[in-house]
Amino acid sequence: MPSTFEYTWDTPVYKGSTSFSTGLYINGKFIDGSNNTTIDVINPTDGKTIASISEGTPKDVDIAVDAAQKAYDTVWGLNCPGNERARLLNKLADLLIEHSDEFAALEALDNGKTFGWAKKADLSMSVDVIRYYAGWADKIHGSTIETSEDKLNYTRHEPIGVVGQIIPWNFPLMMMCWKIGPALATGNTIVLKPSEFTPLTALLAAKLIDEAGFPPGVVNVVNGYGDTVGQAIAEHMHIGKVAFTGSTLVGRKIMVAAAKSNLKNVTLELGGKSPSIIFDDADLDLAVEWAAHGLYFNHGQSCSAGTRIYVHENIYDTFLQKFTEKSMSLKVGDPFGQDTFQGPQVSERQFKRVMDYIESGKQEGATLHLGGHRVGTEGYFITPTIFTDVHPEMRIVREEIFGPVGVILKFKDDDDIIRQANDSVYGLAAGVFTSNVKRAIKTAHALHAGTVWVNCSNTTYANVPFGGYKQSGIGRELGEYALDNYTNVKAIQINLA
Amino acid sequence: MAQPVEISITATGRKVTLPTGLFINNEFVPSVDSSDVIQCLNPATEEVICSVVAGSAADIDRAVAAARAAYNTTWGKNVGPVERARLINRLADLMERDRDVLAELESLNNGKPVRVARDFDIGDSIGCLRYYAGWADKITGQTIEVDNKTKLAFTRHDPIGVCGQIIPWNYPINMWAWKVAPALACGCTIVMKPSELTPLTALKLSELIVEAGFPAGVVNTVASLGSVGGAALAAHPDVDKVAFTGSTVTGRKIMEAAAKSNLKKVSLELGGKSPHLVFESADLEQAANWAALGILYNTGQDCTAGSRLFVQDTIYDKFISILVGKAKEMVVGNGFDEKVSGGPVVSKVQYDKVWSYIESGKQEGATLALGGQKRPGKGFFVDPTIFTDVRPDMKIVRDEIFGPVLSVAKFSTEEEAVKLANDTSYGLGAGLHSKDADQCMRVSSALEAGTVWVNQYNLLYNNVPFGGKKQSGIGRELGSYALDEYTSVKAVHWNFGEKLDWPF
């Protein structure tokens, strides 16, 4: 029998408690993993273990796929009308709202982000996304297409069947909702692997999915490691599609596994090294606020973080001064503290990785303009860090760091800045700051990025698509576009002649 | 006047408080210049339920002004789609909560059975609200490539604005939901004129509008005579669009008034004389069930009533005897009686009209296979009536009767059936029963109707569009198509690179 995780908070910003099973959620039940092993869940503020959750294995993936297939064939898929799928998704949204603070606290505990940000950003977007896709469930239209009067040609947008979903640790609950929303709305059943670093909110969500009334087998949550459970999902012969959000490195493996197994459909949402371009006619104070948000939001652990900040030489000094002040004002500390902006990085591994990049920046000759060190002696806290006097070949300029570390570069040429901004294997997002609309539109159109933010940064809406150009990904999430990831188009041609 | 009244529903012992004023700016108020009232009757007992304020043309002005002010400040483009969705979903929740009260009130005023009102009318209405709540943040325009170097072209689907909505008495709550839901989802504000025969549930629902949290002026309800309030809305210079469901005769007047005033957009959902075809391969038992439903549901007071039945000669006698048996099983009575499947017709005027058609059927020589006898006692009851041996020129075959009166004729070939079916100025619904798939496809393609039912009848879904061809209407309700009725497309051509030479 899997253990129950129980936790009580008594903090300045939140008092409350939670309780849920730590088992694998398969076929409507919480069960032990096949090997009866567990994974420890670490609190990144102090490195201590807070929970042990059941570890899934490839065999558990098989069991989950069987359950998902059975549910798809009997009580889900097109056996369940769209408005019923809508009702259940709306019920889940209601439950998320009801448990909103509990989720925010759990996310803060497990991931290290502040309770305030978890509530304001993660929870509100999670609810919005589930509600948004609930609204689509009975609106999955095909087309009737005119060819000639003696033919009836039409399309159906059918669910794919059992889909595999592998989500990251940076926005655990939110990423789960971005995935399950469109998949369930279109009638698919799911085998989902949360990140082994941040499994807790997925388990609480599984409890509520059950409470909402989704039939057993429709959603299955199998915790485990990437190279066991994740790999098993990617190469499974009876999973029709895999959706992955995470590093570009792992994304390649997923795509290779899909190709080698059953050529399952693959969507990937991978890394980025997104440029923020500050032109000399930008509203400087606003640009500073947004550029800081773009860089430091979620401790820099955001795929679309604006980590390369290009500033026009005319305003460079002023911008740098203001940006530095802003960066210094961000309080790093306890996720449950009153004024904390930034908690710890998610894990020891990530902490080391970011610190290694900082070291490489120094070694490659960049100027460490601000920060560059650990905060405190416990946990994985890193102070907001800025490098200047960098050149495009440096690792800190080319590679995704995934921490509160930004590089600031000077530019002077409007045309060349486009070239510089696009000079990356990534293409997830970009930010453009200018008060000249013509320049904003021309620049936005010229950038190789799946999202271009003009005079803002890192804002998302449930109904606006999101995804990457180039090595930042394949496919789009959010908006109507996500539905395409989870449907199979069947064209039916009826000869009436 | 305009004070709430308490109504006692004898059959269930329930007491309902009912607002009787005009609902403008989230308040129930008296008329600004008239002391007229509308008496609401219970058609099963012919007793007066209560009286409500009858709005005047000046009251319509006030309501339109409130709707315009709200459109400019708290609604229209001032409210985001997520908020619109939230409020519409909240309204659906409240209707769900008050389902039983609303069902009893609907039955009291309209006559339909309480369980039908609760499970179908109100159930479908709640679904309709939720369906359109889901659309609110999905109303997208297009971005369109014209010249990549210099231009950005895109469309916006703006709300149309202030909408006048005029609804009928046959499905008061359901027709209210069909109109209110898409209009609100698109960001429009509303002046709703319920039927003067059945305004009570629209007024009760207005209380829920307030409770749900809609800003004042977004939805306004003015009970009024059609010739007063309806006419005023259709002719109003500050109403951007009028949506009307009702008779074709009135629909013409609405369209004319719209043309003469400010060319407001018009959508109309009018009458029908829908054909129901039974081919020889049909499952006769099932076809008879659906045919009975088609003419007897809602006591025949349905714009899509399958009121002209055409049966293939090879199965005619057998089918008719099954059908007459089905019709006889229908229990018509007081809506509060659980055994009852159909109530009275809604009013004395309708009752007299239906009976005059029955008389004309007899006089023009049709054969009465069932019914034709008036009931003694109170209540506007009309029992199922079936005429056979009809000819296409008979009044009962050409005119919409709007009661449980069926005309039946024979046909021998498919071509003849289609020709007979399409021989009408209406084009709202049609049904066909056949096990021959190719025939189903040919005939459904050939029938001139906005909805064609194959091997069924009458049943609608909130996500499938509905509306009429020919003189049955203009525009479509339900489905994604209704959104087109409440949005206005603006194309924006944005130049960021072209310099114009002059002289041209």
Side-chain angles (χ1 to χ4, degrees):
Chain A
M1 262 305 288
S3 63
T4 300
F5 174 71
E6 278 169 343
Y7 196 92
T8 302
W9 290 270
D10 184 5
T11 74
V13 297
Y14 177 67
K15 296 180 196 331
S17 61
T18 190
S19 166
F20 52 87
S21 172
T22 60
L24 308 179
Y25 178 66
I26 298 179
N27 214 18
K29 295 201 173 356
F30 287 93
I31 56 175
D32 294 311
S34 300
N35 281 355
N36 275 304
T37 46
T38 59
I39 297 176
D40 285 341
V41 180
I42 313 285
N43 180 345
T45 60
D46 60 14
K48 298 196 165 80
T49 303
I50 37 173
S52 287
I53 55 150
S54 298
E55 180 192 353
T57 66
K59 181 160 172 219
D60 295 310
V61 172
D62 284 339
I63 296 171
V65 171
D66 283 345
Q69 186 66 52
K70 179 138 175 266
Y72 180 76
D73 291 335
T74 56
V75 298
W76 202 246
L78 296 174
N79 302 301
C80 180
N83 59 359
E84 172 64 4
R85 302 197 299 263
R87 188 186 69 78
L88 290 168
L89 282 164
N90 270 319
K91 182 76 184 131
L92 178 60
D94 290 343
L95 291 171
L96 288 175
I97 291 174
E98 209 181 294
H99 293 260
S100 198
D101 285 3
E102 184 187 338
F103 268 108
L106 191 59
E107 202 77 293
L109 179 70
D110 197 1
N111 165 285
K113 66 180 73 202
T114 66
F115 173 82
W117 275 116
K119 188 170 159 154
K120 183 164 126 177
D122 298 54
L123 261 303
S124 72
M125 184 66 176
S126 296
V127 170
D128 284 353
V129 166
I130 297 291
R131 280 249 188 270
Y132 176 76
Y133 285 104
W136 271 121
D138 56 0
K139 303 174 178 67
I140 312 295
H141 301 155
S143 312
T144 55
I145 304 158
E146 185 187 356
T147 53
S148 67
E149 271 310 281
D150 58 9
K151 296 279 167 69
L152 174 64
N153 297 315
Y154 64 96
T155 60
R156 276 165 53 110
H157 287 206
E158 299 176 351
I160 290 175
V162 178
V163 303
Q165 306 188 312
I166 301 167
I167 57 175
W169 46 257
N170 57 348
F171 298 93
L173 177 71
M174 194 176 94
M175 291 291 98
M176 182 175 181
C177 292
W178 282 32
K179 296 278 185 286
I180 68 173
L184 292 174
T186 46
N188 297 279
T189 54
I190 298 169
V191 176
L192 181 132
K193 185 193 103 53
S195 165
E196 57 269 35
F197 292 101
T198 53
L200 300 183
T201 45
L203 288 169
L204 180 58
K207 178 181 167 190
L208 297 187
I209 284 167
D210 201 75
E211 193 180 318
F214 284 89
V218 171
V219 178
N220 304 277
V221 177
V222 181
N223 277 302
Y225 292 103
D227 51 15
T228 52
V229 171
Q231 183 68 17
I233 289 173
E235 65 191 22
H236 206 285
M237 292 303 288
H238 296 121
I239 287 180
K241 181 259 167 31
V242 64
F244 169 78
T245 297
S247 69
T248 297
L249 185 72
V250 175
R252 289 180 192 283
K253 291 188 193 169
I254 304 262
M255 198 167 170
V256 166
K260 284 183 166 171
S261 56
N262 63 346
L263 276 171
K264 59 172 66 58
N265 186 294
V266 176
T267 50
L268 305 172
E269 208 272 275
L270 308 175
K273 192 73 183 182
S274 302
S276 288
I277 304 171
I278 325 277
F279 286 100
D280 65 356
D281 63 350
D283 176 332
L284 206 55
D285 290 327
L286 267 181
V288 166
E289 290 298 315
W290 280 113
H293 175 72
L295 173 61
Y296 298 121
F297 175 57
N298 213 43
H299 322 177
Q301 299 170 134
S302 169
C303 46
S304 55
T307 46
R308 289 183 289 148
I309 302 176
Y310 295 89
V311 186
H312 194 278
E313 63 180 11
N314 291 354
I315 49 158
Y316 180 87
D317 293 329
T318 322
F319 177 88
L320 186 58
Q321 183 221 323
K322 288 184 187 232
F323 192 81
T324 307
E325 261 169 49
K326 174 74 190 176
S327 306
M328 287 168 66
S329 76
L330 302 173
K331 188 169 162 214
V332 178
D334 174 13
F336 293 92
Q338 280 290 10
D339 307 312
T340 311
F341 172 85
Q342 178 182 314
Q345 305 307 111
V346 77
S347 68
E348 190 178 355
R349 190 160 93 184
Q350 284 303 118
F351 173 83
K352 285 205 168 107
R353 191 189 139 125
V354 176
M355 295 307 291
D356 282 349
Y357 272 110
I358 293 173
E359 199 44 46
S360 105
K362 293 182 202 166
Q363 298 219 344
E364 288 192 297
T367 302
L368 181 59
H369 178 79
L370 179 74
H373 58 83
R374 186 183 192 185
V375 178
T377 51
E378 247 196 354
Y380 316 126
F381 299 84
I382 299 178
T383 189
T385 300
I386 300 171
F387 281 98
T388 54
D389 304 317
V390 299
H391 64 75
E393 297 320 304
M394 291 177 176
R395 287 184 64 211
I396 55 170
V397 180
R398 303 217 67 74
E399 296 176 27
E400 185 180 41
I401 299 173
F402 232 64
V405 181
V407 299
I408 304 190
L409 306 95
K410 213 184 277 195
F411 77 95
K412 64 179 178 200
D413 184 322
D414 264 33
D415 289 326
D416 195 58
I417 188 55
I418 306 277
R419 185 199 59 78
Q420 288 184 58
N422 286 340
D423 179 22
S424 169
V425 299
Y426 293 114
L428 189 53
V432 176
F433 295 86
T434 172
S435 58
N436 180 332
V437 152
K438 185 163 134 179
R439 177 189 250 165
I441 293 177
K442 284 179 116 167
T443 309
H445 288 196
L447 287 168
H448 298 159
T451 296
V452 179
W453 284 292
V454 177
N455 294 329
C456 56
S457 180
N458 276 269
T459 55
T460 53
Y461 299 91
N463 57 356
V464 179
F466 181 91
Y469 279 41
K470 304 193 289 192
Q471 295 185 32
S472 284
I474 293 175
R476 290 292 174 272
E477 297 195 276
L478 301 184
E480 185 177 359
Y481 297 78
L483 302 175
D484 291 342
N485 300 335
Y486 293 101
T487 47
N488 254 334
V489 177
K490 173 186 288 174
I492 297 164
Q493 301 190 24
I494 302 181
N495 182 11
L496 308 169
Chain B
M1 212 35 244
Q3 292 314 302
V5 295
E6 196 185 68
I7 296 173
S8 261
I9 299 180
T10 345
T12 59
R14 188 191 296 273
K15 296 199 191 312
V16 183
T17 311
L18 199 65
T20 62
L22 308 175
F23 179 68
I24 299 178
N25 263 336
N26 275 8
E27 288 180 329
F28 291 95
V29 295
S31 166
V32 80
D33 63 351
S34 160
S35 55
D36 289 350
V37 297
I38 290 170
Q39 266 199 346
C40 301
L41 297 191
N42 175 340
T45 62
E46 303 184 33
E47 286 163 3
V48 174
I49 304 170
C50 65
S51 294
V52 303
V53 172
S56 66
D59 293 315
I60 292 288
D61 283 339
R62 234 186 351 153
V64 170
R68 176 62 65 194
Y71 184 77
N72 287 342
T73 57
T74 56
W75 204 249
K77 297 188 205 181
N78 306 295
V79 66
V82 172
E83 175 66 0
R84 297 200 299 270
R86 190 187 68 78
L87 290 170
I88 299 169
N89 270 320
R90 180 89 188 108
L91 180 60
D93 290 343
L94 295 175
M95 276 185 79
E96 181 86 64
R97 181 196 68 190
D98 292 351
R99 201 163 175 155
D100 289 324
V101 175
L102 289 167
E104 290 180 20
L105 204 54
E106 186 86 316
S107 181
L108 197 68
N109 198 188
N110 164 283
K112 68 180 70 203
V114 175
R115 71 177 166 83
V116 171
R118 189 187 60 235
D119 297 342
F120 296 102
D121 295 54
I122 295 169
D124 289 349
S125 299
I126 293 167
C128 183
L129 288 171
R130 294 206 197 288
Y131 176 76
Y132 284 105
W135 269 121
D137 58 357
K138 301 172 178 64
I139 299 173
T140 53
Q142 299 178 1
T143 58
I144 305 156
E145 185 184 353
V146 289
D147 179 335
N148 236 352
K149 291 193 162 47
T150 58
K151 302 283 171 72
L152 171 64
F154 62 94
T155 60
R156 289 177 55 124
H157 288 210
D158 294 335
I160 266 188
V162 174
C163 300
Q165 304 189 316
I166 303 165
I167 56 176
W169 46 258
N170 57 345
Y171 297 95
I173 294 177
N174 209 186
M175 293 294 99
W176 186 93
W178 282 24
K179 296 274 185 291
V180 164
L184 292 177
C186 294
C188 298
T189 55
I190 296 168
V191 176
M192 165 70 69
K193 189 205 93 59
S195 165
E196 56 267 40
L197 292 176
T198 54
L200 300 184
T201 45
L203 288 169
K204 194 70 182 153
L205 287 164
S206 301
E207 287 179 342
L208 299 187
I209 291 282
V210 179
E211 195 182 340
F214 285 91
V218 171
V219 178
N220 305 278
T221 308
V222 179
S224 178
L225 298 182
S227 54
V228 175
L233 276 175
H236 206 287
D238 200 27
V239 167
D240 301 299
K241 183 244 168 49
V242 65
F244 169 78
T245 297
S247 70
T248 297
V249 162
T250 308
R252 289 180 191 285
K253 293 185 193 165
I254 304 258
M255 194 168 172
E256 207 183 311
K260 286 179 168 172
S261 57
N262 64 345
L263 276 169
K264 57 174 63 60
K265 310 296 167 285
V266 177
S267 57
L268 304 172
E269 208 271 276
L270 308 176
K273 191 73 183 180
S274 303
H276 210 152
L277 308 181
V278 182
F279 291 91
E280 62 191 2
S281 67
D283 176 337
L284 297 188
E285 183 68 23
Q286 276 297 299
N289 285 351
W290 290 109
L293 182 75
I295 190 57
L296 299 178
Y297 185 68
N298 215 42
T299 316
Q301 301 170 116
D302 188 307
C303 45
T304 55
S307 48
R308 289 181 299 143
L309 179 64
F310 299 100
V311 185
Q312 195 150 28
D313 46 16
T314 44
I315 43 142
Y316 181 86
D317 293 331
K318 188 166 174 207
F319 182 77
I320 293 304
S321 88
I322 299 174
L323 179 63
V324 170
K326 300 289 182 187
K328 282 180 177 166
E329 287 171 8
M330 170 96 166
V331 179
V332 170
N334 186 307
F336 285 86
D337 182 345
E338 282 287 309
K339 288 195 293 3
V340 149
S341 317
V345 299
V346 79
S347 68
K348 181 83 168 61
V349 166
Q350 285 302 117
Y351 178 83
D352 289 341
K353 179 174 154 184
V354 171
W355 278 105
S356 84
Y357 275 111
I358 294 174
E359 286 311 311
S360 114
K362 292 179 193 170
Q363 275 167 32
E364 289 194 295
T367 306
L368 201 49
L370 182 69
Q373 296 280 74
K374 280 190 181 181
R375 284 193 197 184
K378 289 279 183 189
F380 308 125
F381 295 101
V382 181
D383 288 299
T385 308
I386 300 178
F387 281 104
T388 57
D389 304 317
V390 303
R391 294 182 320 271
D393 57 288
M394 290 179 175
K395 281 183 70 185
I396 56 168
V397 179
R398 306 224 62 78
D399 294 359
E400 185 181 40
I401 299 173
F402 231 65
V405 180
L406 181 65
S407 299
V408 188
K410 255 183 235 194
F411 68 88
S412 54
T413 65
E414 180 185 301
E415 288 70 27
E416 190 191 345
V418 168
K419 189 145 173 273
L420 285 167
N422 287 338
D423 178 22
T424 167
S425 59
Y426 292 114
L428 191 56
L432 71 107
H433 297 267
S434 165
K435 284 194 185 137
D436 178 343
D438 288 353
Q439 178 173 63
C440 289
M441 194 58 71
R442 284 191 305 269
V443 176
S444 62
S445 290
L447 287 168
E448 293 164 358
T451 295
V452 177
W453 283 285
V454 179
N455 293 324
Q456 58 179 323
Y457 204 79
N458 249 96
L459 301 184
L460 298 176
Y461 297 89
N462 287 310
N463 58 356
V464 180
F466 178 87
K469 290 183 188 264
K470 303 197 299 193
Q471 293 184 34
S472 284
I474 293 175
R476 289 291 175 271
E477 298 193 272
L478 301 185
S480 64
Y481 296 75
L483 302 174
D484 293 338
E485 306 295 341
Y486 291 99
T487 47
S488 171
V489 178
K490 172 189 291 178
V492 178
H493 299 252
W494 194 326
N495 178 17
F496 58 85
E498 181 181 328
K499 296 260 181 279
L500 184 65
D501 288 331
W502 197 260
F504 182 70

